[in-house]
């Protein structure tokens, strides 16, 4: 795996897997088979501790055996990729191209199923979810019960329409300038969500220079940080601004005056080098559909809804969700993504938003 990973810049689909890795998997599978045979043949040691240890060992070896066998038996309906590890050991991974058939046969055909979540709809409907679960054409009842909050009165959705569309170089300087103005208008009290660690670091470096640290304390998430304690510090220190990614997009609950603004740096579209999602998009494209609209847009809509959901946590909360990605206002898929968000009052007028934040 290390030899194969040396030339890779990131997670890469292996199609085909390759002779060296196939040979290694075969050796591992056969060695595990031999070990299981010897464990089963060992009749000595009848005490409970010995039997338990033997059973534990056999279970662990069987898991390795089955994994190696699954990787060797992969077909066109499986995706196999190698993750170089970025400082960790490389790993070989396998996932089905689609889970629809498995869920339909093993779960939905066996008994009635109820699925519930705050973020099941994309673009205002259940079509994407239903299709991804293989339930198209089946007897499905969907229901959206709405929200207990009056989002149109409690919040504003602001899209920075005049900013340049985000590129691969990270957060643009124009976006950082706007982020700083939004934080100043809000008096801090901002949760800023980024789609990458590089975005967090770049924003933190800029804001430490641009903002008065005495008036606008800055909390920056680092890899390995305890999210709970970081969020608690943000909630306790009203003028603070929290910058983060990944784990802060969902599950953060800071009601009240500590968080009157959520800023999202860009539409969280999947990375184009994601092997599994790329393979799923390609399969839809080859079948005559649009992989981008069927895979990337729904996934981005789900993450946007989860991120925007950090703002209104109670009936008395007020605030702004500011998205620094002009594509949400200008791109053809922007309307579907906006429909995935809570029904905030929508504007692209920066002056209106700055005035509203200052008033809050």
């Amino acid at each position: 795996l290390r030899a194969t990973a040396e030339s890779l810049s990131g997670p890469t689909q292996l199609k085909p897997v390759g002779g060296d890795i196939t040979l290694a998997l075969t050796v591992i599978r056969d060695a595990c088979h031999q070990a299981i045979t010897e464990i089963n043949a060992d009749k000595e040691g009848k005490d409970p501790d010995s039997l338990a240890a033997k059973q534990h060992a056999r279970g662990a070896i069987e898991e390795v055996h089955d994994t190696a066998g699954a990787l060797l038996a992969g077909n066109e309906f499986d995706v196999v990729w190698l993750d170089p590890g970025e400082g960790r050991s490389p790993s070989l991974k396998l996932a089905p191209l689609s889970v629809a058939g498995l869920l339909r046969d093993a779960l939905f055909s066996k008994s009635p199923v109820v699925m519930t979540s705050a973020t099941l709809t994309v673009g205002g409907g259940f079509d994407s979810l239903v299709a991804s679960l293989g339930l198209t054409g089946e007897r499905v009842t969907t229901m959206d019960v709405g929200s207990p909050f009056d989002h149109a009165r409690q919040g504003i959705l602001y899209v920075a329409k005049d900013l340049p569309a985000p590129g691969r170089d990270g957060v643009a300087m124009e976006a950082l300038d706007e982020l700083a103005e939004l934080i100043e208008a809000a008096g801090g009290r901002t949760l800023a969500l980024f789609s990458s660690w590089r975005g967090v670091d770049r924003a933190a470096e800029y804001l430490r220079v641009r903002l008065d640290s005495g008036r606008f304390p800055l909390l920056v998430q680092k890899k390995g940080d305890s999210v709970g304690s970081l969020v608690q510090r943000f909630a306790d220190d009203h003028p603070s601004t929290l910058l983060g990614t990944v784990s802060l997009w969902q599950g953060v609950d800071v009601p009240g005056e500590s968080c009157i603004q959520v800023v999202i740096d860009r539409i969280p579209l999947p990375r184009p080098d994601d092997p599994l999602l790329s393979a799923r998009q390609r399969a839809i494209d080859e079948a005559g559909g649009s992989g981008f609209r069927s895979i990337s847009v729904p996934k981005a809509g789900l993450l946007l809804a989860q991120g925007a959901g950090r703002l209104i946590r109670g009936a008395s909360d007020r605030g702004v969700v500011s998205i620094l990605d002009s594509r949400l206002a200008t791109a053809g898929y922007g309307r579907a993504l906006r429909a995935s968000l809570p029904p905030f009052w929508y504007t692209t007028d920066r002056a209106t938003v700055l005035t509203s934040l200052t008033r809050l």
Side-chain angles (χ1 to χ4, degrees):
L1 291 183
R2 281 195 296 271
T4 305
E6 283 178 357
S7 62
L8 304 181
S9 59
T12 303
Q13 184 178 1
L14 300 182
K15 194 176 181 180
V17 171
D20 290 343
I21 292 181
T22 298
L23 177 60
L25 289 170
T26 303
V27 170
I28 291 170
R29 182 196 60 189
D30 293 349
C32 288
H33 179 76
Q34 179 65 27
I36 293 168
T37 300
E38 293 185 15
I39 290 174
N40 290 338
D42 181 11
K43 304 300 182 183
E44 297 181 5
K46 300 296 184 181
D47 64 284
D49 290 343
S50 175
L51 291 173
K54 188 183 297 184
Q55 184 175 356
H56 180 73
R58 183 170 56 239
I61 296 171
E62 285 175 347
E63 184 175 356
V64 177
H65 174 274
D66 293 347
T67 300
L71 287 161
L72 284 167
N75 54 42
E76 69 270 23
F77 301 110
D78 292 319
V79 180
V80 179
W81 71 96
L82 179 59
D83 185 346
E86 297 182 0
R88 307 184 308 277
S89 297
S91 56
L92 196 61
K93 302 184 179 183
L94 175 143
L97 194 59
S98 170
V99 297
L102 178 63
L103 287 172
R104 184 173 57 249
D105 296 341
L107 180 61
F108 300 136
S109 64
K110 304 296 183 184
S111 65
V113 176
V114 175
M115 292 174 286
T116 179
S117 170
T119 48
L120 285 180
T121 60
V122 175
F126 290 88
D127 293 350
S128 176
L129 173 75
V130 169
S132 70
L133 296 176
L135 291 171
T136 304
E138 303 288 334
R139 191 177 67 164
V140 180
T141 300
T142 60
M143 179 171 60
D144 185 346
V145 300
S147 169
F149 306 130
D150 187 348
H151 287 96
R153 292 183 66 250
Q154 292 182 247
I156 296 173
L157 171 63
Y158 165 59
V159 177
K161 184 179 181 180
D162 295 329
L163 289 179
R168 294 193 174 186
D169 297 330
V171 186
M173 186 58 67
E174 296 92 336
L176 292 174
D177 285 338
E178 183 130 349
L179 172 61
E181 289 187 27
L182 289 166
I183 291 173
E184 287 172 334
R189 307 166 191 265
T190 297
L191 172 63
L193 302 173
F194 296 84
S195 55
S196 68
W197 288 108
R198 185 172 64 169
V200 173
D201 294 339
R202 180 169 165 79
E205 181 181 358
Y206 174 84
L207 292 175
R208 286 192 181 107
V209 175
R210 169 68 185 271
L211 298 179
D212 179 347
S213 60
R215 293 179 58 205
F216 305 104
L218 203 60
L219 303 174
V220 182
Q221 182 187 16
K222 301 293 184 184
K223 290 183 180 178
D225 276 353
S226 169
V227 172
S229 60
L230 191 64
V231 172
Q232 190 60 54
R233 287 172 59 194
F234 173 57
D236 292 341
D237 189 359
H238 284 194
S240 66
T241 290
L242 174 57
L243 311 181
T245 185
V246 190
S247 52
L248 295 183
W249 279 75
Q250 51 189 319
V252 174
D253 185 20
V254 183
E257 297 181 358
S258 292
C259 183
I260 65 168
Q261 178 175 221
V262 172
V263 178
I264 296 175
D265 71 327
R266 63 191 297 159
I267 298 171
L269 292 165
R271 290 175 46 165
D273 60 352
D274 184 304
L276 181 57
L277 292 181
S278 295
R280 288 175 174 171
Q281 284 191 197
R282 192 162 51 248
I284 292 174
D285 288 339
E286 291 171 354
S290 170
F292 178 76
R293 289 191 173 274
S294 298
I295 301 293
S296 291
V297 172
K299 186 171 179 63
L302 174 65
L303 285 173
L304 272 180
Q306 290 174 331
R310 301 312 97 210
L311 180 68
I312 304 299
R313 310 301 298 173
S316 61
D317 286 353
R318 301 287 187 274
V320 176
V321 173
S322 299
I323 300 181
L324 307 180
D325 190 335
S326 57
R327 295 174 297 177
L328 197 65
T330 61
Y333 54 86
R335 183 182 295 274
L337 288 174
R338 294 200 307 272
S340 301
L341 299 175
F344 296 115
W345 185 78
Y346 171 61
T347 184
T348 59
D349 188 318
R350 184 161 65 96
T352 297
V353 169
L354 293 176
T355 300
S356 298
L357 285 170
T358 302
R359 190 182 303 123
L360 284 172

